[in-house]
Amino acid sequence: MALTLAALAYPGMLGLDKVSSSPDRIIADTQWGPLTEQDRDFVVKVRAAGLWEYPVGQIGLQKGSSKAVITASQHLIDGHAALDTTCRKIAPMLNITLPNVASPQQVGFVNQLKSESGKQFDTDFANILRMTHGSIFNTVAKIRSTTKNSLVRALADQANDTVLDHITVMEKTGLVDFDQTLFQQTTPPKLPDSDLTPPPPAAGQPEVVLTPPPTATSTPVDINGIAGGNGAPGSGTNPNPSAG
């Protein structure tokens, strides 16, 4: 498998915006198909999403004041733990560096929700997460329809199901202000690149693992089935520390 390490260096700009003027530029030829800039950045985006939505789900289990918010929180933890497993399996196969911390904007969402309680928490929880999932939904569809890499395609399939599920459970809370949410979704604030970019992991830092809940119903992609038994070494187990 021919990989160009320099081209796969940690991207300078992620978030919801395009990372370059040519996101379809091929940066590596792999045995699972060519890998483009937007393919690589999609894997990183999925990982970063879990790094803030998973802890928000944990917060929701503690602070949620309605059954619907508790249910939505359970779905966040379940879905992102499974997506995280898939990301961590395919990233070394594609030589993609994953972050251990979400972007500053995403960390800001977590800190905001940590500071709230009661009805205010429930309302902001539902609207922030409905907005962010709605924003990424089109990106998932674009990747799924254009990528030539079978590993990225499998992740997009899983992400599509997960994001749609999370959109649905947020709407079922009955708290989503659609006018406001759709406006924010389609006209996001112009933030500096640094706010939208999850920082690269520090050298030697253990990989953060999002632990599936005991009652997990979501399942990671069967990478060995796609890769013909040539999955990442040790992908069935992970001795690294877990989040939460």
Side-chain angles (χ1 to χ4, degrees):
M1 178 169 53
L3 291 170
T4 304
L5 296 180
L8 287 173
Y10 198 82
M13 167 61 192
L14 297 170
L16 297 175
D17 294 335
K18 292 182 179 179
V19 301
S20 78
S21 58
S22 301
D24 57 349
R25 180 176 68 89
I26 295 174
I27 57 175
D29 289 316
T30 81
Q31 67 190 77
W32 302 284
L35 186 76
T36 65
E37 285 193 15
Q38 63 186 1
D39 291 338
R40 174 200 59 193
D41 299 338
F42 175 69
V43 177
V44 175
K45 285 179 186 178
V46 174
R47 164 71 166 177
L51 290 172
W52 78 274
E53 292 177 29
Y54 183 99
V56 164
Q58 293 177 314
I59 296 168
L61 291 181
Q62 298 173 349
K63 291 190 172 186
S65 57
S66 72
K67 183 177 180 181
V69 171
I70 297 296
T71 297
S73 299
Q74 292 169 335
H75 280 239
L76 287 177
I77 294 170
D78 189 5
H80 280 291
L83 280 173
D84 188 69
T85 297
T86 301
C87 284
R88 288 184 293 101
K89 284 183 177 180
I90 71 173
M93 298 167 71
L94 299 173
N95 208 22
I96 295 173
T97 300
L98 295 178
N100 266 340
V101 179
S103 73
Q105 181 196 38
Q106 293 167 332
V107 171
F109 291 145
V110 177
N111 291 336
Q112 175 184 343
L113 293 170
K114 276 184 178 179
S115 69
E116 297 177 347
S117 60
K119 183 70 171 181
Q120 186 67 54
F121 171 84
D122 288 355
T123 300
D124 287 346
F125 171 92
N127 282 278
I128 289 173
L129 287 157
R130 173 59 180 82
M131 181 269 292
T132 55
H133 282 86
S135 297
I136 198 66
F137 201 35
N138 290 335
T139 300
V140 176
K142 180 179 179 181
I143 292 294
R144 179 59 183 84
S145 65
T146 61
T147 184
K148 297 178 182 179
N149 188 285
S150 59
L151 297 181
V152 175
R153 191 157 53 243
L155 177 63
D157 281 339
Q158 182 186 358
N160 183 74
D161 292 342
T162 302
V163 172
L164 180 57
D165 172 67
H166 292 175
I167 286 175
T168 302
V169 292
M170 294 307 156
E171 293 172 348
K172 285 184 177 179
T173 64
L175 298 171
V176 175
D177 180 334
F178 284 95
D179 289 338
Q180 177 182 345
T181 298
L182 295 179
F183 174 78
Q184 293 175 333
Q185 179 180 312
T186 55
T187 55
K190 298 297 183 182
L191 297 174
D193 292 357
S194 58
D195 283 358
L196 300 174
T197 307
Q205 184 181 53
E207 185 177 60
V208 171
V209 177
L210 305 184
T211 308
T215 56
T217 58
S218 299
T219 56
V221 171
D222 179 10
I223 298 301
N224 285 336
I226 296 173
N230 295 320
S235 60
T237 59
N238 197 315
N240 295 310
S242 301

